Amino acid sequence: MILLSRRDFIVSPDSDWLAVLSSLPHTAPPNWKQRRLLNLSLGKKGERRDETVKKKLSLPPAKMIHSLFLINASGDIFLEKHWKSVVSRSVCDYFFEAQERATEPENVPPVIPTPHHYLISVLRHRIYFVAVIQSEVPPLFVIEFLHRVVDTFQDYFGVCTEAAIKDNVVVVYELLEEMLDNGFPLATESNILKELIKPPTILRTMVNTITGSTNVGEQLPTGQLSVVPWRRTGVKYTNNEAYFDVVEEIDAIIDKSGSTITAEIQGVIDACVKLTGMPDLTLSFMNPRLLDDVSFHPCVRFKRWEAERILSFIPPDGNFRLLSYHVSSQNLVAIPVYIKHNITFREGSSQGRFDLTLGPKQTMGKAVEAVLVSSQLPRGVLNANLNPSQGTYTFDPVTKMLSWDVGKINPQKLPSLKGTMSLQAGASKPDENPTINIQLKIQQMAISGLKVNRLDMYGEKYKPFKGIKYMTKAGKFQVRT
């Protein structure tokens, strides 16, 4: 069987579909992409119905994503991919202007309009993924696709860094070619992609270098033609396992008196499922009503969730994100730490006072770990002479950034950072006190109180090993002083 790449099958919406198919080699039956295109263009008896389909389906413009640029933290474009037409790199100048105006890297606007294009971007692993759009499309649709691209790179290469992308640049281009078909997302499931394009290994890389072959698979993906496109067929494992990670990120702003101004939780449930055959799983929660604004993987049966608040699904093989959710009710968001602060500057004085103390709060006895406190001190501060009771601190006199690596908080002996700050002689008192940003992790605890009740499997006779892990970490956790 002769396999055709997309380059061998380039058609426009106005193409004569019968002529295109008749031009294919007789030994090459239409692949799954071609069947999809053929089904859209031919009626039951083979008559042409291009215009009818366009009207009935209200097909969008001819292209959604025109180009993709990858930009590192230094502002260099180290990879670009174009679909059909080439968009000049100069379009990224609008992005660089917005980047200069942003106070933090993550504060760059996700959607930037330009005279002829829209730039939609996400920041992951200190890399900006910038998509160029020529016509109006739902921005969240593009943003979700960009996140899928990052997750796919991470799944293939272990990490999604500039070095990893450059080392596997051939595989990167092959993946982007399959994930986007003429500007529209097509194959974004990891299982399907791994059947199309084999993940790189040292041995495979050596063989490809010697023989000149590629990582593109020799068989069509079986899952894409089934009713369960996210799972490949014939999966077999010696050890059958299903692990679920409930990870919650708390965003909060605490005012000077310690009161909560705003607090919300962004949560995800990531799964690693390695089960033989075609298992059907159900996952139930102790308190499912906590979940707000839930987004599911396509495998979840939404009607059953609406009726019973139970997750019922046939899982993809391997790692995937089962759902993401949002808890916005402040009365449901527990603040895991408190901070006592006394940061003062006196008018006419060349010194200021810095005093911080951290402590756990509403952690249900769980240890608060990997605590990192940072603060952008005023420009007038020349140096900081501080004494930490635990951990180490650094102060950059150029950027004025103070960082205190606390580590694990001991409730019996609360960590503190005390000392003085040296100010420029004759400098006026700063207009406002600095804000304090906190990073932390709490293992085996979901701060919202969400708990998994049970996980059941149907359709297979073996007993799998099941595991649930909880973790809470800080997102944008800010304390105003």
Side-chain angles (χ1 to χ4, degrees), residues 116-181:
H116 303 290
H117 302 88
Y118 294 95
L119 305 182
I120 300 179
S121 64
V122 298
L123 174 63
R124 293 279 297 273
H125 309 289
R126 302 187 67 196
I127 298 173
Y128 289 100
F129 291 75
V130 183
V132 181
I133 314 298
Q134 215 164 37
S135 56
E136 284 196 36
V137 295
L140 289 178
F141 195 62
V142 181
I143 289 171
E144 175 63 23
F145 172 76
L146 294 177
H147 282 298
R148 287 288 185 97
V149 170
V150 179
D151 294 339
T152 301
F153 289 171
Q154 200 161 2
D155 192 22
Y156 264 74
F157 314 134
V159 292
C160 183
T161 60
E162 182 181 353
I165 292 172
K166 286 181 176 178
D167 290 344
N168 300 279
V169 67
V170 175
V171 180
V172 167
Y173 277 107
E174 289 172 346
L175 285 170
L176 292 175
E177 189 70 23
E178 294 299 335
M179 294 183 76
L180 215 63
D181 185 14

Side-chain angles (χ1 to χ4, degrees), residues 75-316:
D76 300 322
I77 301 172
F78 66 91
L79 187 137
E80 58 184 281
K81 168 66 178 167
H82 305 280
W83 287 270
K84 201 170 181 180
S85 60
V86 177
V87 177
S88 172
R89 283 189 173 197
S90 61
V91 74
C92 293
D93 292 344
Y94 296 97
F95 176 82
F96 295 137
E97 290 174 7
Q99 192 180 17
E100 288 178 4
R101 291 193 295 268
T103 54
E104 298 288 338
E106 59 269 19
N107 290 342
V108 176
V111 180
I112 301 171
T114 73
H116 303 290
H117 302 88
Y118 294 95
L119 305 182
I120 300 179
S121 64
V122 298
L123 174 63
R124 293 279 297 273
H125 309 289
R126 302 187 67 196
I127 298 173
Y128 289 100
F129 291 75
V130 183
V132 181
I133 314 298
Q134 215 164 37
S135 56
E136 284 196 36
V137 295
L140 289 178
F141 195 62
V142 181
I143 289 171
E144 175 63 23
F145 172 76
L146 294 177
H147 282 298
R148 287 288 185 97
V149 170
V150 179
D151 294 339
T152 301
F153 289 171
Q154 200 161 2
D155 192 22
Y156 264 74
F157 314 134
V159 292
C160 183
T161 60
E162 182 181 353
I165 292 172
K166 286 181 176 178
D167 290 344
N168 300 279
V169 67
V170 175
V171 180
V172 167
Y173 277 107
E174 289 172 346
L175 285 170
L176 292 175
E177 189 70 23
E178 294 299 335
M179 294 183 76
L180 215 63
D181 185 14
N182 199 36
F184 288 91
L186 180 64
T188 58
E189 282 295 332
S190 183
N191 288 316
I192 302 301
L193 288 169
K194 284 180 179 177
E195 287 191 72
L196 286 166
I197 301 163
K198 304 297 180 185
T201 61
I202 296 175
L203 179 60
R204 189 173 288 131
T205 303
M206 291 175 62
V207 171
N208 291 349
T209 304
I210 296 169
T211 62
S213 56
T214 66
N215 287 7
V216 178
E218 296 181 355
Q219 294 181 343
L220 293 174
T222 55
Q224 193 72 17
L225 300 175
S226 72
V227 293
V228 189
W230 51 83
R231 186 174 181 85
R232 59 191 176 95
T233 58
V235 181
K236 290 184 179 179
Y237 286 102
T238 306
N239 298 319
N240 293 285
E241 305 166 327
Y243 300 105
F244 294 88
D245 293 344
V246 181
V247 182
E248 293 189 340
E249 203 170 82
I250 179 170
D251 299 330
I253 298 177
I254 313 298
D255 68 6
K256 189 174 182 179
S257 63
S259 302
T260 303
I261 297 175
T262 179
E264 58 184 20
I265 294 170
Q266 311 289 342
V268 297
I269 298 181
D270 289 327
C272 178
V273 177
K274 296 182 179 180
L275 299 175
T276 302
M278 196 68 71
D280 200 326
L281 304 181
T282 60
L283 187 71
S284 60
F285 301 96
M286 302 275 286
N287 39 8
R289 300 293 171 185
L290 285 174
L291 301 182
D292 245 353
D293 193 14
V294 186
S295 173
F296 299 101
H297 188 278
C299 68
V300 176
R301 299 180 179 100
F302 185 62
K303 284 188 177 179
R304 185 162 182 192
W305 168 261
E306 280 192 317
E308 306 175 39
R309 282 295 189 264
I310 290 177
L311 293 178
S312 175
F313 57 98
I314 296 175

